[in-house]
Amino acid sequence: MIAVLSDTHSENGHALAGRAADAVADADEVLHAGDFTTETALDAFHDAADRLHAVHGNADSPAVRDRLPAARTVEVAGVRVALTHRRDGGELGLSMFGRERGADLVVSGHTHAPTTKETEDVVLLNPGSHADPRGNPEAHAELYPSDRGVRGELRARDGRVLSEFRVEGR
């Protein structure tokens, strides 16, 4: 399983609780779309996750920005994932970012709203925020390998499935 998170906004740790904490502990890989805020939070994620792929966000300290790229592309479970905190241009900007990187899935954060959107080229995923929801449910995403890609779930802190989606690999 791959756990997908964003927008931790913590001064003193990973702020994981409930289903998000379980998902990170059980995950083969963890994707984080930025805004850890501090090196302490980033280090706590490195300690909690066996394998962390992360980018920095707009609220990250200079020390976090020095350690993480603004964007990266990784392969997980046969799916090419383009990871960023945000892109100008909204959904169109994110879709173009994914297309430029040959991605099947674009993971972003920033809005704190857990959402998925299927576009012509890619699936857009914002896992929301597991720790600072700003009026949205505390959320994260879980990706499970399937025959031709991954099946995904947006989940609330209490474990409820908020929505389900699929991403096919190329």
Side-chain angles (χ1 to χ4, degrees):
M1 184 262 293
I2 298 103
V4 186
L5 301 102
S6 188
D7 293 284
T8 300
H9 291 279
S10 176
E11 296 292 321
N12 55 18
H14 53 53
L16 291 165
R19 178 68 183 225
D22 295 341
V24 168
D26 294 342
D28 298 314
E29 300 187 63
V30 175
L31 307 177
H32 195 293
D35 277 0
F36 293 93
T37 306
T38 63
E39 275 191 295
T40 302
L42 175 57
D43 291 340
F45 261 92
H46 275 293
D47 291 344
D50 287 339
R51 201 155 172 217
L52 177 67
H53 305 284
V55 296
H56 72 71
N58 62 296
D60 283 320
S61 70
V64 172
R65 288 172 176 260
D66 287 345
R67 290 174 56 185
L68 296 173
R72 73 181 338 144
T73 305
V74 297
E75 287 277 333
V76 294
V79 171
R80 189 167 174 88
V81 181
L83 189 61
T84 187
H85 184 64
R86 71 179 210 170
R87 283 281 172 241
D88 290 338
E91 288 178 3
L92 178 59
L94 289 167
S95 293
M96 289 173 52
F97 168 73
R99 190 175 330 140
E100 289 168 358
R101 291 176 172 258
D104 307 303
L105 174 66
V106 173
V107 174
S108 66
H110 191 64
T111 68
H112 297 232
T115 56
T116 59
K117 170 85 175 179
E118 193 169 324
T119 72
E120 187 176 315
D121 298 311
V122 298
V123 174
L124 306 177
L125 168 63
N126 184 324
S129 175
H130 63 97
D132 185 19
R134 298 185 183 173
N136 300 291
E138 289 122 337
H140 70 282
E142 297 175 13
L143 306 177
Y144 297 91
S146 66
D147 291 340
R148 293 182 298 183
V150 295
R151 68 176 179 79
E153 300 172 341
L154 280 169
R155 287 194 171 256
R157 180 180 284 175
D158 65 9
R160 284 178 298 122
V161 175
L162 302 173
S163 66
E164 296 178 276
F165 57 97
R166 298 188 80 70
V167 181
E168 289 191 20
R170 295 181 191 230

